[in-house]
Amino acid sequence: MLELQKEAFLRAGIRVLLLMLGLAGPLAAQEDNHSLYSINAVQVQEGPVLDGVLDDAVWSSGVLIDNFVQQEPDEGAPTSEHTEVRVLYDSETLYLGLRASDSAPLGVTATEMRRDSERILDEDNFQIILDTFMDSRSAYMFVTNPLGAQLDQQIANEGEGNRRNRQAGFGTSNINKDWDGVWHVAASQDANGWTAEIAIPMVTLRFPESEVQSWGLNLMRNIGRKNEQAFWAPIPKAYTLTRVSMAGSLTGLRTLNRGSDLRVTPFVTGGASRVTQAGQIDNSFQRDLGVDLKYGLTAGLNLDVTANTDFAQAEVDDEQVNLTRFPLFFPEKRDFFLENSGQFTVGGVNPGNRIVDLFFTRRIGLSDTGNVPILGGARLTGKVGRNDLAIMDVQTRGNELGLAGENFLVTRYSRNFLSRSRVGALFINKNQTGGISRHYNRTYAVDTSLSPHASLTITGLMAKTQTPGRTRGDMAGYVHAVWLDENYRIYSEYGDIQDDFNPEVGFLPRAGIRTSKTHFEFTPRPGRLGIREMSPMVNIIYTTDQQNRMVTRRMHYMMGTRFENGAYLNLWYNRWFERLDNTFSFRGVPLDPGDYSFGEFRASFMSNPARKVYYSLTYSPQTFYDGDRTDTSASVGVRFTDRFSTEASYGRNDVNLSNGSFQLDLASIKVDFALSPTMTLR
């Protein structure tokens, strides 16, 4: 019976997608924003002095953009607060000057000064996206606010997998939030609103080798207190600024000079320790040195070299509680692996149901037992015409825990065709260079992404691994089709991961499965009770082993509600089935083999995070395998000034199973003091 229900559900999803594919031809083609929203670049001999005040005479020669239109709340209407942007450039820098008028200047929300803080996106801010290769896929994104704070990101494949509603809580490897480019901002507030002067050096960007350049460009202003977003080149409500295929264009850029594109970063580390035991004194000293080098071979290709790499400056991971049977995904935060990291990405596109990522950089230099020293490495990434190239080679050395040195070679090529489609291949070789076993592991893959219509994208891959002693079945396949427009988000995906598929340099939560997911979601706008948008959804995940025996099923029902004041309410219920063939332990409490059915209810509320005092609450009572579980969490944040803020959070999991019980508590408090937009104490 369950098998019949599953097949009927999947057939319904496939029929809807096929119907929409059939409609793709007759639907009126979306107008080309590249031509409808186009400005000709104005070159000057010398740019303005950045002081946050638009009083330099040179700004008057810049091209004016003042026709911003709303995406939210009233799509297509002019922005409620007048917005002007001037654009100009010299041979080495692109300049943008913003005048963000505001009829209630005291209502401007600006309390976040920390670099790359996501809170910047919740307050008043101004966003820029540059598609320097005009490929409608990749881009650089720059964000600032009335305090001159900076947030920057690299975008690959239009941020595929990203959700417009950030409260969904899922990230995507196609948006590199940890990339830090070199650019400059000065901002100020006055009686008419706020202004900002932005300078983006050409050396920060990659672009084609041509005398005359045309780039994709889009601009967005967020008015925090109104929860209003306004764009220069309009983007429908289903998408965000990362939809670079809908950007306007900046044309006529000439004789650009990236200067000397060489950055060398040497480093020295040192330390000492003294241990006294049983009258014996042991003094030890630690010292090390190394260097990172970044060099632009061409305007489109970048070479990174590292020797005796030090990752001491990398940001630590956020604490997570894992009450599943499978590993959690932690994003990469080490600088050497970040720039153009999206070019190496091959895998599932749904971060909420991560089936496989064939290349996961945290497999290099990190292990369950700690850090593995990196002797050195080199990486070449970039674009040549419609071709994306990415090559990396890294060598580690053994450590005191007995891990042998290893060499990692990763090569990735993809070719863009049509307006938003691509095809590519990936090869990964991991080879042990020390010890006796000389173990190796290899991954081969081909992948494609097809976009026959602006709202329809089909993604797929085929992969094979090669590991000594694992030959029963070492193949994997995956396909994902999604329809996304202003009213609907509908997708189906299917993955087949054979028992011995073993991408040791990738992220694979579960092998030996066949898994499918079908998802229906629409976004009604009641226009009453202070509700801006609702997102009722239903989806099913159905997973079998390689013998087609059901091992997991999840039925998910959710109602998300976004309010006009920026608050968000989320209610969901999950109905689970799990089959355990072997004993499994949660925190030392064993679960016996068998079939388990249980249900999970969850209610969460988040106030508008742009307010000076904000909070969130979550309550989730549920049955859990052969027992029950209750999850509760709360957080509160206060922005005392534009430099000083604090946030406290607490979460608790109470789990009661037939073989025992346990509780997990996770508390944190963060205090931030911003000395400037580039320096923060935490």
Side-chain angles (χ1 to χ4, degrees), residues 23 26 207 288 403 479 524 547 550 554 558 564 589 633 668 676:
L23 291 174
F207 45 80
D288 216 342
L403 293 176
V479 63
Q547 289 71 46
M550 184 175 69
R554 191 199 72 177
M558 190 185 104
E564 294 288 355
V589 179
S633 66
S668 69
S676 71

Side-chain angles (χ1 to χ4, degrees), residues 259-285:
S260 176
D261 191 5
L262 174 65
R263 280 179 278 171
V264 180
T265 308
F267 56 84
V268 178
T269 61
S273 63
R274 180 184 180 94
V275 178
T276 302
Q277 184 176 5
Q280 299 294 318
I281 298 176
D282 180 22
N283 296 321
S284 63
F285 300 90

Side-chain angles (χ1 to χ4, degrees), residues 160-163 168-175 177 349-352 354:
E160 190 175 80
N162 187 42
R163 295 297 304 275
F170 300 125
T172 169
S173 57
N174 286 313
I175 296 181
K177 299 179 180 180
V349 301
N350 182 6
R354 198 177 295 273

Side-chain angles (χ1 to χ4, degrees), residues 155-384:
I155 309 300
N157 301 321
E158 294 196 285
E160 190 175 80
N162 187 42
R163 295 297 304 275
R164 182 170 64 88
N165 181 8
R166 290 194 300 114
Q167 285 95 335
F170 300 125
T172 169
S173 57
N174 286 313
I175 296 181
N176 183 356
K177 299 179 180 180
D178 294 300
W179 174 75
D180 285 326
V182 177
W183 57 295
H184 311 285
V185 180
S188 64
Q189 296 175 253
D190 56 31
N192 297 312
W194 62 285
T195 58
E197 295 179 304
I198 301 163
I200 304 173
M202 299 300 174
V203 72
T204 299
L205 309 172
R206 306 284 171 224
F207 45 80
E209 293 274 11
S210 60
E211 178 64 21
V212 182
Q213 303 272 330
S214 291
W215 296 352
L217 169 69
N218 208 351
L219 310 170
M220 192 271 272
R221 179 185 177 186
N222 183 69
I223 304 173
R225 74 178 187 282
K226 296 183 177 182
N227 197 16
E228 176 183 322
Q229 294 82 46
F231 291 78
W232 170 47
I235 293 181
K237 289 178 178 178
Y239 310 112
T240 68
L241 189 67
T242 64
R243 191 77 167 186
V244 291
S245 59
M246 296 182 177
S249 60
L250 174 64
T251 63
L253 295 158
R254 299 175 182 273
T255 60
L256 302 183
N257 179 11
R258 302 186 71 250
S260 176
D261 191 5
L262 174 65
R263 280 179 278 171
V264 180
T265 308
F267 56 84
V268 178
T269 61
S273 63
R274 180 184 180 94
V275 178
T276 302
Q277 184 176 5
Q280 299 294 318
I281 298 176
D282 180 22
N283 296 321
S284 63
F285 300 90
Q286 301 86 39
R287 54 190 179 276
D288 216 342
L289 57 88
V291 65
D292 290 340
L293 180 147
K294 185 182 294 289
Y295 179 61
L297 295 177
T298 69
L301 288 174
N302 188 73
L303 175 67
D304 292 271
V305 177
T306 183
N308 208 19
T309 313
D310 172 51
F311 293 126
Q313 82 285 1
E315 185 179 349
V316 298
D317 293 318
D318 294 330
E319 289 282 350
Q320 298 186 51
V321 173
N322 187 5
L323 288 176
T324 73
R325 296 188 292 126
F326 309 105
L328 296 178
F329 181 89
F330 288 88
E332 179 61 79
K333 296 187 177 182
R334 297 170 295 174
D335 186 65
F336 174 76
F337 296 107
L338 290 177
E339 185 172 359
N340 292 329
S341 60
Q343 291 191 355
F344 290 96
T345 300
V346 179
V349 301
N350 182 6
N353 183 40
R354 198 177 295 273
I355 295 175
V356 61
D357 283 345
L358 295 182
F359 179 51
F360 184 41
T361 53
R362 290 177 67 105
R363 301 296 186 220
I364 303 175
L366 296 173
S367 73
D368 294 336
T369 56
N371 292 342
V372 179
I374 292 181
L375 287 173
R379 185 184 61 172
L380 177 68
T381 57
K383 299 176 73 71
V384 179

